[in-house]
Amino acid sequence: MSEFIYMLKDLPPAARPEVGGKAAGLADLAGMGLRVPDGFFITDAAFKKFTGTVLGPGERLEDLAQAASSERWDAGSRLAQVRRRIVSLPLPRDVEHAILDACTRSMGEGIAVAVRSSASTEDRPGLSSAGMQESILNVSTPADLLDAVRRCWASLWHERALAYLVRSSFDPSDIRMGVVVQRLVDAQAAGIVFTCNPTTGSTREILVNAVLGLGEPALSGRRTPDVFILEKGSLTVRDMQIAHKQYMLRPSPAGTGLVEVMVEEGLRDAPSIDDGTLREISRAALHVEERLGTSIDMEWAMEGGQLFVLQA
């Protein structure tokens, strides 16, 4: 592949800094034998080549962070201007070709994908900006894929991300920005599992959140999930709280984007996953916990009866 691309399952250890924390974590999960959606990583070299040609004086992150840290300047309008330019300008031809070729080679044509930012500030001990950058789901055309990549890059120029950099004293010139592109898991149910119960702090309990459809509403807090608490040793369910489910999030049948659809009446007050699925999710999370040597939270999705791990 080119300097701009690494396949998810073939990421060399030395290339981890080039693709960011989220991408490196996904490569680790695949290496643990977990089912991770097929895909590829766009390296920081592509980001640097593009932004190096489109940013003008005073528009680099380090320039803006220095100005914002003075607390005498409202960065909002300047950041919005930079974002508009980034999302509207064409990519260098070699970068564009590498991205589209990698998508075809790794997943074939006509496959809907998820596109997520993977900055070097994400998923690091003591320093995590996970969730501050962009994720675009159900991207279905080449043009939309290129647009989604630009949106991921542009998300570094949001007020919240810049404020985080200023507060954390992270040197913006050291940021490396990768992008993750993976096949979209058309989830029947999805959510997150914690190997340490976050509501009690107990390391003897596993907590699983679950919603019908794609998991974004549970992760963002926009919708109340089903909550299951399991005993860590036996994986027996100690408690559950089943939410009423009026809507669920699904890939738009019209193409790129997501839509909310009505949940069938008979499923609205039923558990979103069964006991067997709960145990499978919990065993996968415990496997990751054992390999990493620490409590973890892990995003998961069920598609066609198979468990996919989306992030940990």
Side-chain angles (χ1 to χ4, degrees):
M1 301 302 292
S2 76
E3 63 176 311
F4 306 124
I5 299 293
Y6 284 105
M7 291 299 170
L8 188 153
K9 295 181 180 177
D10 297 318
L11 181 68
R16 293 170 61 95
E18 300 178 45
V19 296
K22 185 175 295 176
L26 284 166
D28 287 342
L29 292 170
M32 294 177 195
L34 297 169
R35 186 179 290 108
V36 176
D38 291 336
F40 62 94
F41 306 137
I42 304 170
T43 70
D44 179 67
F47 170 72
K48 291 288 174 58
K49 181 165 187 176
F50 176 68
T51 56
T53 63
V54 303
L55 297 184
E59 294 180 335
R60 296 178 305 168
L61 278 175
E62 51 265 40
D63 300 329
L64 292 166
Q66 183 177 5
S69 64
S70 70
E71 299 182 355
R72 296 192 302 270
W73 178 59
D74 179 5
S77 60
R78 178 65 66 85
L79 289 168
Q81 181 182 11
V82 175
R83 291 197 304 272
R84 285 194 296 269
R85 291 181 59 209
I86 291 174
V87 300
S88 64
L89 292 173
L91 274 61
R93 278 292 185 86
D94 53 349
V95 174
E96 177 180 319
H97 175 77
I99 293 171
L100 297 180
D101 180 64
C103 194
T104 299
R105 291 181 58 181
S106 63
M107 289 170 282
E109 296 183 355
I111 301 298
V113 299
V115 183
R116 296 183 172 94
S117 67
S118 179
S120 56
T121 51
E122 295 185 73
D123 304 323
R124 292 176 52 176
L127 182 66
S128 177
S129 64
M132 287 194 183
Q133 274 79 59
E134 191 84 31
S135 292
I136 303 98
L137 305 181
N138 193 34
V139 177
S140 58
T141 70
D144 287 341
L145 171 57
L146 299 176
D147 179 66
V149 171
R150 286 191 293 261
R151 286 172 57 187
C152 284
W153 290 340
S155 64
L156 279 177
W157 277 263
H158 273 283
E159 291 90 332
R160 185 173 61 163
L162 183 63
Y164 173 82
L165 293 176
V166 172
R167 289 196 308 270
S168 65
S169 299
F170 193 95
D171 185 351
S173 64
D174 290 338
I175 291 177
R176 307 184 79 170
M177 182 65 161
V179 176
V180 174
V181 181
Q182 292 176 280
R183 182 185 71 81
L184 180 73
V185 177
D186 189 5
Q188 285 79 53
I192 188 165
V193 52
F194 302 85
T195 61
C196 172
N197 187 337
T199 62
T200 65
S202 174
T203 58
R204 297 191 297 272
E205 294 177 337
I206 296 170
L207 187 146
V208 179
N209 287 345
V211 296
L212 293 176
L214 276 69
E216 189 277 335
L219 302 175
S220 66
R222 291 195 299 113
R223 187 161 296 144
T224 302
D226 292 344
V227 179
F228 305 89
I229 297 175
L230 293 83
E231 198 278 324
K232 209 168 195 178
S234 64
L235 297 186
T236 56
V237 179
R238 298 177 57 174
D239 190 21
M240 70 173 69
Q241 300 170 25
I242 305 304
H244 178 71
K245 309 164 188 63
Q246 190 77 11
Y247 296 95
M248 62 179 173
L249 201 62
R250 303 290 299 151
S252 171
T256 294
L258 306 174
V259 294
E260 288 195 325
V261 301
M262 193 81 73
V263 173
E264 293 180 26
E265 187 170 353
L267 301 176
R268 292 178 185 175
D269 294 300
S272 49
I273 51 177
D274 59 25
D275 286 354
T277 300
L278 270 174
R279 288 191 291 272
E280 182 180 7
I281 294 165
S282 299
R283 284 193 293 267
L286 290 175
H287 175 61
V288 177
E289 179 184 68
E290 182 179 4
R291 291 289 296 270
L292 297 181
T294 186
S295 299
I296 59 107
D297 55 89
M298 185 180 82
E299 295 178 31
W300 58 270
M302 296 297 299
E303 178 190 61
Q306 291 187 318
L307 172 66
F308 287 86
V309 177
L310 307 181
Q311 187 175 343

